[in-house]
Amino acid sequence: MLEKQFYTNLFKGSFNNLPIQVKFWDGTTRNYGQGLPVIKITFKKVIPVHEVLKSASLALGEAYMRGDILVTSDKYQRPLEVLLTAAYESVNSFMRNKKFIHLTKFQSHTEKADKEDIQAHYDLGNEFYKLWLDPTMTYSCAYFAQPDDTLEQAQINKVHHILQKLHPQPGKTLLDIGCGWGTLMLTATREYGLKTVGITLSQEQYNYVNDIIHREHLEDQAQVLLCDYRELKHAPFDYITSVGMFEHVGKEELGKYFKDVANYLVDDGVALIHGITRQQGGATNAWLTKYIFPGGYVPGLVENIKHIEAAGLQVFDLESLRRHYQKTVEIWDDNFNAKREQIERMANDSLEQTMSGYKFARMWDLYLQACAASFGSGNIDVIQYLLTKGASGKNLPMTRDYMLH
């Protein structure tokens, strides 16, 4: 009885008047919000109150993974996204109540720890990511220049959007910190005439990019390194790009990250840093840290600007792509669920997970829908920082027009 009362109080006012129905473990139901319920939450068993009080995101996230909590709807394709968006938007939500928001423990960001963290996420296998990413194998926010752009087109748009902001000149050099599967650095090589170096800590990504470089005979123009960005020994670069990288370096290493960006740039060089940023200030999430991004930390906008200033860099342009990332993640989740049975089999057979394929698939579906909700509600953002080493935009055109052509 006390547990049911706890959950009744927990959900009351949490969903911004979104009409939902909660079915408890004893078969009783309760409606919240106004109108006929459009989403149903089913508790298969009791989730101990002390676990929720210790960390709501971790306790409820793990219960969802196990199938102890189900979220269904006849109206919405992604009901969890709708539910979490409403929770983020409600000022009375348990997701915004200090009683339920807990910081995670100190996270180590030694080079060894960072390598292990990156490989835990990105070395699940290229075949896994191929199932639900687009053919460019780009695992970051796309840029939908037109409403009907496919995900592949939008990812190509993003790469050009980034490179055009640099105003690159053929023959000059570019460093891509956290190069992923190489789409950006290889596009810069093939289409912009730049000499590029990409670095990654993922063995799978390194192998993938290296194979392309050798297959296309780009050895004189492009190089991929399996190393930590802090170990780089190359001469300064004219341009630097870093997409979806600083979220991995941790709060304690963020200042050094921007100083390294500055150190790797020539004087008056240009950097485009693209990353998930929280306009309300930096934050971690216990469930996300444990299951998806070990060591992850989303920095705040003001926090980043302070580090940029301290590194001797200046801001020339900022652009929010929050809505673009929401749409990107929604498409990923649709793609993921279209291949869900195959992913479950893959997880059972070859991904060497410590959990069943069923649990693994629910974990990733939760991650993708929760990300879409977080972007959709403005809980997190993704921002492109166009930076110069020296006076802002010294060698860049006077207006933004050049970025779009």
Side-chain angles (χ1 to χ4, degrees), residues 65-113:
M65 288 166 56
R66 295 191 301 267
D68 294 340
I69 297 177
L70 305 178
V71 179
T72 56
S73 175
D74 293 330
K75 181 177 181 180
Y76 297 110
Q77 181 176 347
R78 292 178 295 275
L80 193 57
E81 178 189 352
V82 176
L83 186 71
L84 292 175
T85 299
Y88 279 125
E89 290 177 343
S90 174
V91 295
N92 298 314
S93 168
F94 70 93
M95 297 187 72
R96 297 176 63 178
N97 189 319
K98 292 181 180 179
K99 288 168 55 181
F100 302 107
I101 298 175
H102 298 269
L103 296 176
T104 56
K105 296 179 181 179
F106 174 80
Q107 298 168 342
S108 172
H109 279 279
T110 63
E111 293 180 12
K112 181 177 183 293

Side-chain angles (χ1 to χ4, degrees), residues 118-161:
I118 292 298
Q119 291 182 348
H121 186 82
Y122 293 98
D123 283 355
L124 288 173
N126 292 338
E127 295 307 313
F128 167 66
Y129 287 102
K130 282 179 182 178
L131 289 175
W132 53 275
L133 295 180
D134 70 286
T136 70
M137 288 290 283
T138 305
Y139 187 31
S140 58
C141 173
Y143 183 73
F144 295 89
Q146 302 296 329
D148 58 351
D149 281 341
T150 64
L151 178 59
E152 181 179 8
Q153 182 60 57
Q155 292 291 11
I156 293 170
N157 294 345
K158 187 268 298 296
V159 168
H160 289 292
H161 192 55

Side-chain angles (χ1 to χ4, degrees), residues 310-378:
L313 300 167
Q314 291 196 5
V315 177
F316 182 64
D317 187 80
L318 294 179
E319 182 178 12
S320 167
L321 299 180
R322 178 184 63 80
R323 289 181 291 175
H324 292 268
Y325 217 160
Q326 178 188 2
K327 185 171 182 177
T328 301
V329 179
E330 288 172 346
I331 295 173
W332 285 345
D333 190 60
D334 291 346
N335 293 347
F336 181 91
N337 281 299
K339 299 293 180 66
R340 188 157 179 158
E341 290 184 4
Q342 186 176 347
I343 288 169
E344 288 190 19
R345 290 196 300 272
M346 180 181 290
N348 283 327
D349 296 340
S350 62
L351 287 182
E352 298 182 359
Q353 294 298 308
T354 57
M355 62 185 75
S356 67
Y358 171 82
K359 190 174 179 181
F360 177 82
R362 287 183 66 82
M363 177 181 75
W364 272 85
D365 185 40
L366 170 58
Y367 158 58
L368 293 171
Q369 290 198 57
C371 282
S374 210
F375 285 117
S377 64

